[in-house]
């Protein structure tokens, strides 16, 4: 894993921190408004799923990100212990899986909102 890939992961993570929560809150706000207007409980569930991305990130993703950034900082300082290099691949796989699951929260919320609209 080269420094360029680690920089990409850092950019993706920081981009989520800047845009993810506001968009999740905006989407959930729309579902809450629809729930209040229509009385449909499915919109409430869609709102909860939409915002669920934030606690999921705090519960599962933060630790993996921190570990990856620690290794990235070691690599930037030109100290490359083999043990750190061996730790990086499983962390990146875990990061990819966690982010895949994290992306499913707004998708599930959107699908549930669509179901509510068609219900």
């Amino acid at each position: 894993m080269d420094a360029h890939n680690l920089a990409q992961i850092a950019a993706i993570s920081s981009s989520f921190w800047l845009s993810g929560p506001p968009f999740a809150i905006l989407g959930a706000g729309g579902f809450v408004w629809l729930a209040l207007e229509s009385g449909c409980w499915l919109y409430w569930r869609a709102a909860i799923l939409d915002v669920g991305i934030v606690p999921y990130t705090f519960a599962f993703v933060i630790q993996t990100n921190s570990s990856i950034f620690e290794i990235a900082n070691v690599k930037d300082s030109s100290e490359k212990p083999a043990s750190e290099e061996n730790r990086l691949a499983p962390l990146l796989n875990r990061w990819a899986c966690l982010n895949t699951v994290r992306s499913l929260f707004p998708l599930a919320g959107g699908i549930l909102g669509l179901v509510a609209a068609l219900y």
Side-chain angles (χ1 to χ4, degrees), residues 9 56 60-61 64-65 68 89-105:
I9 290 172
Y56 176 83
F60 300 106
V61 180
T64 304
N65 281 354
I68 290 172
L91 282 171
L92 292 175
N93 288 335
R94 178 174 167 80
W95 182 85
C97 290
L98 290 172
N99 280 288
T100 299
V101 171
R102 184 169 69 174
S103 70
L104 296 176
F105 280 93

Side-chain angles (χ1 to χ4, degrees), residues 7-47:
Q8 285 180 331
I9 290 172
I12 291 169
S13 294
S14 67
S15 131
F16 169 76
W17 285 111
L18 295 175
S19 63
F23 280 121
I25 292 168
L26 180 66
F31 287 133
V32 167
W33 180 80
L34 287 167
L36 292 172
E37 289 293 316
S38 69
C40 180
W41 57 272
L42 287 174
Y43 286 124
W44 287 109
R45 291 189 177 184

Side-chain angles (χ1 to χ4, degrees), residues 57-69:
T57 300
F58 282 112
F60 300 106
V61 180
I62 296 288
Q63 182 60 40
T64 304
N65 281 354
S66 297
S67 298
I68 290 172
F69 295 147

